[in-house]
Amino acid sequence: MREFIPENLVRIRTMRGFTARRLSLLLKKNPSYINSIENGKVSVSIKSIHSLSNILKISPEYFFIPQETNIHLFELLFIIERLNDNNIIILLKLAEALYQNEIKDIK
């Protein structure tokens, strides 16, 4: 089983514009609850992971993405989640074109 990565909560919370205190209160927990999770002082429950995911409007999987993952890729995933199907198709075509140009540059 993969581990919950507290640093990802910090990233996601910050990107979404939440303070640790506000997020704690939205979870109906004591004001320092999120800080305690982010600092590794307490373990986060499955129920809290799902509640956090709902509040932050993300998949619970984001809390388990390894730190080695490129931060820009992490941010791109947030943007893609909010796109409609047509824009996702356009983005996919753009990504394929950029990839093909990189291959040509290498040769």
Side-chain angles (χ1 to χ4, degrees), residues 10-69:
V10 176
R11 279 193 219 173
I12 295 164
R13 177 180 60 73
T14 304
M15 290 169 75
R16 293 288 199 231
F18 286 92
T19 63
R21 185 182 198 297
R22 180 172 171 225
L23 195 52
S24 295
L25 296 175
L26 286 170
L27 290 169
K28 298 182 179 9
K29 302 282 188 176
N30 71 58
S32 64
Y33 178 68
I34 293 298
N35 277 331
S36 295
I37 292 171
E38 291 176 349
N39 293 320
K41 293 178 182 173
V42 299
S43 298
V44 62
S45 69
I46 298 294
K47 181 180 178 185
S48 290
I49 290 172
H50 285 286
S51 296
L52 285 166
S53 297
N54 288 333
I55 292 169
L56 297 170
K57 295 182 171 71
I58 58 160
S59 166
E61 291 292 313
Y62 286 118
F63 296 118
F64 301 91
I65 295 174
Q67 288 295 302
E68 305 82 51
T69 302

Side-chain angles (χ1 to χ4, degrees), residues 85-102:
D85 289 343
N86 289 334
N87 286 336
I88 289 173
I89 291 168
I90 292 168
L91 183 60
L92 180 60
K93 289 178 182 178
L94 176 61
E96 288 171 348
L98 289 170
Y99 176 71
Q100 290 303 321
N101 282 338
E102 282 187 16

Side-chain angles (χ1 to χ4, degrees), residues 15 62 70-83 91 95:
M15 290 169 75
Y62 286 118
N70 184 312
I71 184 67
H72 299 294
L73 180 58
F74 200 74
E75 292 170 355
L76 183 60
L77 291 172
F78 281 117
I79 294 168
I80 291 171
E81 277 187 338
R82 294 180 288 220
L83 295 177
L91 183 60

